[in-house]
């Protein structure tokens, strides 16, 4: 009997450690998605800044990616990499466009740049959608209830 109680206690401890680990992982995942969202918003600003701003922003995005990608959902990982590559292609197109003398090719480059900018602008929404957090539903407090009774669990 004592041995069975000891085994049961060990299983409870392991279960609690597992739950604690899941909570920590969920918190890290939420933090990573929030940071990815903020970086994606900044990436849209990088496109319209000078070359040094785009390069600095791209380096920051890459460095952040290397330390946080494990915590992102698959769609958020794809979205961040799309932003990274779009900023890179945007830079190449912008450089080439400045050297292009043919107006038709220049227009084509401008259209491609607009497409890339639109792709980067869509990244924050993709990150939010990929997180799929449950909505918190809070009931309005009843005039006759106590604060603890008005919360939805």
């Amino acid at each position: 009997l004592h041995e069975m109680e000891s085994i049961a206690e060990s299983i409870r401890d392991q279960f609690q450690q597992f739950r604690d680990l899941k909570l920590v992982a969920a918190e890290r995942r939420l933090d990573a998605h929030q940071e990815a969202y903020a970086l994606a918003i900044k990436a849209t600003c990088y496109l319209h800044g000078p070359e040094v701003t785009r390069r600095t922003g791209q380096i920051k995005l890459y460095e952040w990616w290397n330390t946080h990608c494990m915590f992102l959902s698959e769609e958020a990982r794809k979205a961040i990499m799309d932003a990274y590559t779009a900023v890179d292609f945007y830079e190449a197109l912008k450089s080439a466009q400045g050297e292009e003398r043919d107006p038709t090719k220049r227009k084509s480059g401008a259209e491609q740049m607009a497409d890339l900018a639109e792709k980067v602008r869509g990244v924050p929404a993709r990150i939010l959608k990929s997180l799929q957090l449950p909505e918190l539903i809070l009931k309005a407090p009843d005039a006759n209830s106590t604060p603890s009774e008005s919360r939805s669990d």
Side-chain angles (χ1 to χ4, degrees):
L1 185 63
H2 179 67
E3 187 176 328
M4 288 178 77
E5 288 174 350
S6 177
I7 291 171
E9 183 65 30
S10 175
I11 291 171
R12 277 193 295 273
D13 289 346
Q14 289 176 6
F15 181 73
Q16 184 60 42
Q17 288 174 359
F18 181 71
R19 280 186 57 198
D20 291 348
L21 181 61
K22 281 179 69 173
L23 287 173
V24 169
E27 188 174 322
R28 285 291 308 261
R29 185 177 186 115
L30 180 60
D31 289 346
H33 279 79
Q34 178 61 53
E35 289 177 27
Y37 180 83
L39 281 171
I41 295 292
K42 288 179 184 177
T44 60
C45 298
Y46 298 153
L47 291 179
H48 305 294
E51 179 183 354
V52 68
T53 302
R54 282 190 297 278
R55 290 293 175 207
T56 301
Q58 197 174 20
I59 290 167
K60 285 180 184 177
L61 191 58
Y62 183 75
E63 289 172 347
W64 181 88
W65 166 264
N66 284 333
T67 58
H68 294 81
C69 67
M70 285 180 26
F71 296 103
L72 295 174
S73 65
E74 183 178 352
E75 177 58 27
R77 284 193 302 269
K78 287 178 184 176
I80 288 294
M81 286 314 300
D82 285 350
Y84 178 83
T85 55
V87 171
D88 195 38
F89 288 142
Y90 189 93
E91 181 59 40
L93 283 170
K94 189 161 185 150
S95 296
Q97 189 181 27
E99 299 167 6
E100 185 57 59
R101 301 288 179 235
D102 182 347
T104 306
K105 289 182 182 176
R106 187 175 274 216
K107 182 179 179 192
S108 173
E111 289 169 353
Q112 289 176 335
M113 288 170 60
D115 289 346
L116 289 171
E118 187 62 33
K119 189 175 196 176
V120 172
R121 279 192 294 276
V123 168
R126 288 172 60 195
I127 291 169
L128 284 177
K129 186 177 179 185
S130 76
L131 189 54
Q132 299 178 349
L133 287 175
E135 291 189 34
L136 298 176
I137 301 171
L138 300 176
K139 293 189 283 185
D142 185 338
N144 299 324
S145 67
T146 64
S148 63
E149 292 173 339
S150 64
R151 288 187 301 178
S152 175
D153 294 78

